[in-house]
Amino acid sequence: MEKVHYLKRFMFLVMAFGLVTTFTSCDDDDEPNPNSPALTDVVGKYTGTMETIVVAPATEEGEETPGGTTVTAEVTKDEVVFEKFPVAELITSIVGEEAASGIIEAVGDVSYKMKYTPTFNDDKTAINMALTTEPLVLEINFPTEETAEGEGEEEAPDLKVEVTVAASEAATFAYTGDKLAFKLQVTAVKVNGEPFELPVTTFSFDLAKTK
C-alpha cells in the first residue's frame, strides 16, 4: 500500500513539472527574440565611396572615376539623407574643368534626400529598399563685386541646374558586413529651364554602416 502511495506522489510531481514546463514554453514564445531581423535594422549612419560612371553616346562601356569619392549618409526610418551630396563631378560635366572649381565653391554643401520602402529578401539575409527619387536642384550665383548696402533686391540665381535622378533598382542592405549598395542615374539635365545634353551618368554607392 505504501508503494502505491509513493507511486501516486511521483506521478503527481511529474504531471506538475510538465504543466510548469508547458506554461514556461508558452511565455517564452510570446516574448520577442532580440536577434530576429527587423526592417529598422537598416537605420543608422554610413560612410563609403561613390563611383561616377560616364557612358559616352558612341560607346557601350562606361568610364569610371578612379578611386571614387568619399561620402557619408544617414538612413532614417523612411529616408536616405545626404547632408553633403557629392556634386563636383556633375558640375564639372556641365561647365567644364576650368570653371568648375569656383562654381563648386559657390554652390557649397548640397543636401539630398530620398524616400524608401523596405522589404526583406526571401531568407531575411538582406533588406531591399525601393527608392523614391526627387530632382536634384543646384542654384549657382557667380561671384560679383559687392553692391552698396541696401541697393537692389534679391536676384534669381545666375545658373539653376535641375537634375532628374532615377533609381532603376532597389537599394540593398546586406546583413553580412552591414553593407548598403545602390545606384542612381542621371536621366536628364536642365540649365535655366533649357535641356542640357549630358552623357549617361551613373552614381554607384558602396557604403558601410558605422553606427
Side-chain angles (χ1 to χ4, degrees):
M1 189 71 179
E2 188 174 344
K3 289 184 179 179
V4 173
H5 177 69
Y6 280 119
L7 180 60
K8 288 183 177 179
R9 288 184 61 186
F10 175 74
M11 291 184 66
F12 175 77
L13 289 173
V14 170
M15 291 175 63
F17 179 75
L19 288 172
V20 170
T21 304
T22 301
F23 285 125
T24 303
S25 299
C26 291
D27 289 342
D28 290 342
D29 291 340
D30 292 338
E31 292 179 3
N33 185 350
N35 296 322
S36 296
L39 293 176
T40 53
D41 291 338
V42 72
V43 173
K45 295 183 183 295
Y46 293 78
T47 187
T49 58
M50 183 196 79
E51 304 284 353
T52 303
I53 304 170
V54 180
V55 180
T59 65
E60 294 183 358
E61 296 184 357
E63 180 181 346
E64 191 172 299
T65 302
T69 302
T70 301
V71 295
T72 58
E74 181 177 2
V75 178
T76 68
K77 64 179 182 179
D78 56 3
E79 286 185 323
V80 180
V81 181
F82 292 91
E83 291 299 338
K84 297 180 181 180
F85 192 86
V87 296
E89 289 84 357
L90 185 62
I91 293 174
T92 302
S93 300
I94 295 172
V95 302
E97 290 187 10
E98 187 174 343
S101 59
I103 294 177
I104 293 170
E105 184 178 351
V107 170
D109 296 336
V110 176
S111 63
Y112 185 67
K113 299 179 181 180
M114 298 178 292
K115 296 283 188 182
Y116 72 90
T117 303
T119 55
F120 283 116
N121 67 346
D122 292 338
D123 55 3
K124 290 191 175 182
T125 58
I127 298 174
N128 299 320
M129 303 160 61
L131 300 173
T132 302
T133 57
E134 298 289 341
L136 175 64
V137 178
L138 308 177
E139 294 187 345
I140 304 166
N141 289 300
F142 296 107
T144 58
E145 294 182 3
E146 294 184 3
T147 57
E149 185 178 352
E151 288 186 5
E153 298 178 356
E154 186 176 346
E155 298 179 354
D158 298 311
L159 204 62
K160 183 176 181 179
V161 180
E162 185 174 334
V163 183
T164 303
V165 180
S168 58
E169 300 176 356
T172 301
F173 171 78
Y175 280 95
T176 302
D178 285 345
K179 298 285 188 178
L180 176 62
F182 59 94
K183 293 181 179 180
L184 301 177
Q185 189 175 75
V186 175
T187 58
V189 176
K190 287 184 178 181
V191 178
N192 289 342
E194 296 295 327
F196 182 88
E197 187 175 346
L198 189 72
V200 177
T201 303
T202 301
F203 300 132
S204 180
F205 293 85
D206 185 8
L207 308 176
K209 194 174 184 180
T210 56
K211 61 179 180 178

